[in-house]
Structures are given as structure tokens and as C-alpha cells.
Amino acid sequence: RRSLAAALLLVAVAPACRAFVVPPGGAGLGLGLRRPAAASLRDGGCRRLRAGGDELDGRVLYPGSEGDGWWDSKTTAMPVVLPPDAAAGRSNWLMYYYGRDGDKWNKGTPAYLPTGSSGLAESDDGLSWTRVKGLLAGGAVMHPSDEEGAYDEIQLGVTDVLPKEGGGFVMHYLGGSSEAIPLSTAPGAGPLVGFRMRSLAAESADGLTWQRRAAPNIDVGPAGAWDSQFASWPRALPVDPSDPEGEWLLTYHALQPPEDTGTRWAAGAAVA
């Protein structure tokens, strides 16, 4: 259910880094989720870390950094990092992220965001990363759906990944459909395809093969609502970290209807 109070302009910038820790066993949107402890992060100011030397120039991953043929040879963005998890028997770091290999989204649609597909990289130290070759074209783990009229028919992008209690993962991601919507009232600005985005979810036993959930976690709002254009970039957190079996908060953001506000970004939340 949506929280009206959370429909605020997205202008705040966090002044410091903070590790968010949830005790094991969190229910997480009814899917048996838990937010892992960030192994080497702690309260305090952020500092830049360098990896790889001159070739990476401070970056840990970038398009083409492992040669041609990869699904993310054009863009890489939105890293979602999971630290080592001793309870699950995993000693490496995982990074899910989105990107694409060209200037088009699915079905030849012009791409205006770095989204498109999603993939995985792994690391022993959190700085030096190697792509994990997924089972889909180009080594991705998720591509847009081939199903006509699907919520993620044109483009998608991972925005959160949570380990499931007992093994496996749940991915929260945005998906853009083929429905064209207007994003601007400027002269000559027509409707765009791929921007009718919804907050979606998928589950996986191994982190590579994903099964989509049929319905969105958050659908677009009714006509005239602040999130009637799209409801995207979902992130999940427990409302009360001391009660991971309780309600979970799903934050997301949207672009307010142009005729209403002159096109402004806003952030919102829902509770499950």
C-alpha cells in the first residue's frame, strides 16, 4: 500500500556511508528475505578506493573491460552488492547491475537510460571484479521478456537483490513496457516507449536463472496521481530491523505527470 507522505521531491544526498544490518530470518515482502550485514562497512564518512591500476583508473567495472561480446558493452550502472555470506557457504562478493550492449532497447526501441538487461560479477575482495557468464545472450542473467505486452518487454534493470533464508535470492527490478507515455509538454515532444515502468520481482535458486513473478510489486498509480507515469527503481528494507518477520518497506521513484508539475522527480514508498 502506498504512503502519500513519502511523495517527496528526491533532493536529499546522504552525507555519510552507513551499513544496514538485519538479523537473519527476515520475512521480506513475504518471501523469506534477509538483508545481509555489509562485511567491511561501518558508520562514518566515505572514502574512494582504487582498484586495478591505470587501466581501470579507479573504476571497478566498465563497458568493454573484459573484451567484446558481453551484454553490457555499451553501459554498466546501478551496482547492487552482496557481501560474503558464511551462513550460505559463500565466501565471495556478488554484484548485480544493469546495462546494455548498444543504443537500442529491445525491439529496436531507442534507449534513453543505461538500463536494458541485468547481469552479475563476482569478487574476492570487493574491488577487483570478474563478470559471471549468465545463461542468456551475451552472458546476461535477465533480458527483457519475449512475451507480447509483458511489463518488461522493452527494457529492465536490477535495483535490489536479497538473499532468501534457506538459500536462493529475490531480485527487485524495474521493467519498461511497450506502452508509450508522454514525459514532457515541450513543443514537439511526443510519447516515448519503454518508460511505462513498474516495480517487479523475480526469484532464483542459484543467482543465475531467474523466474519472474507474474504481477508487479508496485503498479503505476491511477490517472492524475504523482506516480501515474511509472513506479520504478524499487529497494526493499524492513520497517523495523529488530523485527524482520514484520512489515517491509519498498521505496521507489517516479516522474510526476508533466501537465501537473512541469515534470519533476519524486520518491514514494509502499508497505508489504
Side-chain angles (χ1 to χ4, degrees), residues 124-156:
D124 291 330
D125 59 7
L127 288 176
S128 299
W129 293 88
T130 301
R131 289 170 173 82
V132 176
K133 196 168 186 63
L135 303 179
L136 305 181
V141 300
M142 282 192 73
H143 281 313
S145 175
D146 293 327
E147 182 182 344
E148 193 75 25
Y151 296 124
D152 56 356
E153 180 183 3
I154 300 301
Q155 54 100 0
L156 59 80

Side-chain angles (χ1 to χ4, degrees), residues 2-192:
R2 286 178 170 82
S3 170
L4 180 61
L8 305 173
L9 291 182
L10 193 61
V11 296
V13 177
C17 291
R18 180 176 297 271
F20 186 81
V21 180
V22 175
L29 301 178
L31 294 174
L33 308 185
R34 55 191 176 86
R35 177 69 77 171
S40 62
L41 299 179
R42 55 186 179 273
D43 294 352
C46 295
R47 63 186 178 88
R48 288 183 173 87
L49 299 177
R50 294 183 64 85
D54 293 338
E55 181 184 355
L56 290 175
D57 192 28
R59 297 168 291 183
V60 298
L61 198 73
Y62 66 93
S65 60
E66 292 184 65
D68 298 330
W70 285 92
W71 65 275
D72 61 342
S73 58
K74 180 69 175 182
T75 64
T76 58
M78 189 65 197
V80 178
V81 177
L82 301 181
D85 187 347
R90 178 172 52 78
S91 60
N92 61 340
W93 294 71
L94 301 179
M95 180 200 297
Y96 289 91
Y97 63 103
Y98 58 60
R100 50 185 165 80
D101 63 0
D103 295 323
K104 305 286 187 181
W105 282 330
N106 197 27
K107 301 191 173 180
T109 305
Y112 297 101
L113 299 171
T115 53
S117 298
S118 296
L120 173 65
E122 62 183 2
S123 172
D124 291 330
D125 59 7
L127 288 176
S128 299
W129 293 88
T130 301
R131 289 170 173 82
V132 176
K133 196 168 186 63
L135 303 179
L136 305 181
V141 300
M142 282 192 73
H143 281 313
S145 175
D146 293 327
E147 182 182 344
E148 193 75 25
Y151 296 124
D152 56 356
E153 180 183 3
I154 300 301
Q155 54 100 0
L156 59 80
V158 56
T159 54
D160 209 355
V161 177
L162 299 170
K164 293 181 66 176
E165 189 67 23
F169 303 89
V170 169
M171 175 191 294
H172 294 276
Y173 71 100
L174 62 88
S177 72
S178 60
E179 181 183 357
I181 60 172
L183 294 182
S184 173
T185 56
L192 295 175

